[in-house]
Every structure is written in structure tokens, then in C-alpha cells.
Amino acid sequence: MTMRFTAKTRRGMVALAVAAGLAAGAAGCGSGGDDGKRPAQPASASRTAGAGPSAQEGHSDEPLAELRGSDGLSLRITSAQRDSGGFVTINGTLKNDGAQSVVIPSALSGNETEIIKNGRSLGGATLVDPKGKKRYYVLRDTEGRPLTTTGFSTLRAGDALAVFMQFPAPPANQVEFQLPTFSSATLPISG
């Protein structure tokens, strides 16, 4: 019950944030030329810690895994929750531990054309069920957008961004999490 509430709350807050961003972008655009793309978020978007739901809501401070990526990026995974709808949601924090701003590698979006056309995301993430020998990819909505954090491009030195990724639920209670340019980690799935 708590997981469903958290997932619904997260989706609602993401929809609210997207709507607010689009409204602000539309108000600031006076030159016309709408090419159908979402407005770019400023590099300081990661400093809006109080603007949305915490990816760590209801979870301990102890991470499930800490992964190192390129250019000083790190990913701290704080939960891997299975819900009754047949999904697994991974929550965490993407952080720039380096001394300079980092452009988020495009490899994190993966290499599927449908995901890439929707901008930067964590769409390249996968879960691997080692016993079933099956790989699970990030879910997509009916328009091909990945069900993961999207719309980020740069993280300033020391900045962090709460992130999530949603997958079809594997039957295993322990999976290997993989994200391009990052080390991999074995995660227990709760719920």
C-alpha cells in the first residue's frame, strides 16, 4: 500500500513539475518557433531539493549500492521496491563529486532511438535476473518516453539530483543493476 502511494505521489509530482516547467517555458518564449521540444532545464535544476518528492521517502539513510561513473559522477541507490502492479522502482541520487561541472553522458540514455529522441534520461539502465538469465529495460509510456528521470543535462560540482527508474518486475528478489558508464551492483528487491 505504501509503495503504491509513493509511486502515485511521485508520478503526480513529476506531472506537476513537468506542467509547471512547460508553463514557465511557454511564458518565457516570445519568439515563436515552437519545435515541439521541451525547454532545456538550467544547470541549477539539481538545486531544487524541496521542489519535488524525495527519492528516499520512507527509506533508511543506508544506501543499497554506491556506483561510480565517469567524470566524477556517482549514483547512490537508496531503494529497489516491487509494487503490486508488477513493477520495480529504483530510487537514488545522481551526484557530481568532481571539482567541475559535468555534462551528463548521452550514454546514460541508452542507444534505443525511441528513448534518445525524448532527450537525456537514465533510459539505458537495465536489471539483470541472473537466475532467469533475462534482462529488463526501463519501461516506456505510450509515447515512447522512458519512465525515469529525464530532462537533465549538466550537474555542477557538488550538486545532486534525485532520480528514479521503473522496470517490469523480474521474478528474482535479487538483480544486477547496470547503467552505461557506471560500475554495476547487485540489488535486493523489497516488497
Side-chain angles (χ1 to χ4, degrees):
M1 181 84 172
T2 302
M3 291 179 290
R4 180 175 293 259
F5 177 74
T6 302
K8 285 182 180 179
T9 302
R10 182 181 316 103
R11 282 188 221 115
M13 291 302 291
V14 168
L16 179 62
V18 169
L22 290 174
C29 293
S31 63
D34 181 16
D35 61 358
K37 294 182 182 176
R38 286 182 254 154
Q41 288 184 322
S44 63
S46 62
R47 293 188 185 258
T48 58
S54 168
Q56 295 84 15
E57 276 181 21
H59 305 288
S60 71
D61 290 337
E62 189 66 29
L64 297 177
E66 292 190 42
L67 292 71
R68 295 283 170 208
S70 60
D71 299 322
L73 291 175
S74 66
L75 177 62
R76 181 180 175 140
I77 298 176
T78 54
S79 71
Q81 295 281 327
R82 182 187 312 269
D83 70 21
S84 61
F87 305 109
V88 168
T89 302
I90 306 288
N91 289 301
T93 304
L94 182 65
K95 185 176 182 188
N96 178 359
D97 291 323
Q100 299 179 21
S101 290
V102 173
V103 173
I104 304 299
S106 61
L108 298 185
S109 298
N111 58 9
E112 294 181 42
T113 305
E114 193 166 274
I115 289 180
I116 293 172
K117 74 179 182 181
N118 287 294
R120 295 276 166 92
S121 71
L122 300 176
T126 59
L127 296 180
V128 177
D129 173 4
K131 289 184 181 178
K133 297 182 181 175
K134 192 170 181 182
R135 181 178 304 272
Y136 295 83
Y137 294 89
V138 169
L139 291 168
R140 291 148 191 86
D141 68 11
T142 57
E143 295 177 15
R145 292 181 300 242
L147 297 180
T148 180
T149 306
T150 60
F152 52 90
S153 60
T154 304
L155 277 180
R156 288 189 257 175
D159 278 2
L161 175 67
V163 296
F164 80 96
M165 295 149 272
Q166 195 166 44
F167 301 89
N173 288 326
Q174 188 163 310
V175 293
E176 183 176 328
F177 174 81
Q178 298 175 343
L179 182 64
T181 77
F182 281 80
S183 55
S184 61
T186 300
L187 301 176
I189 298 175
S190 60

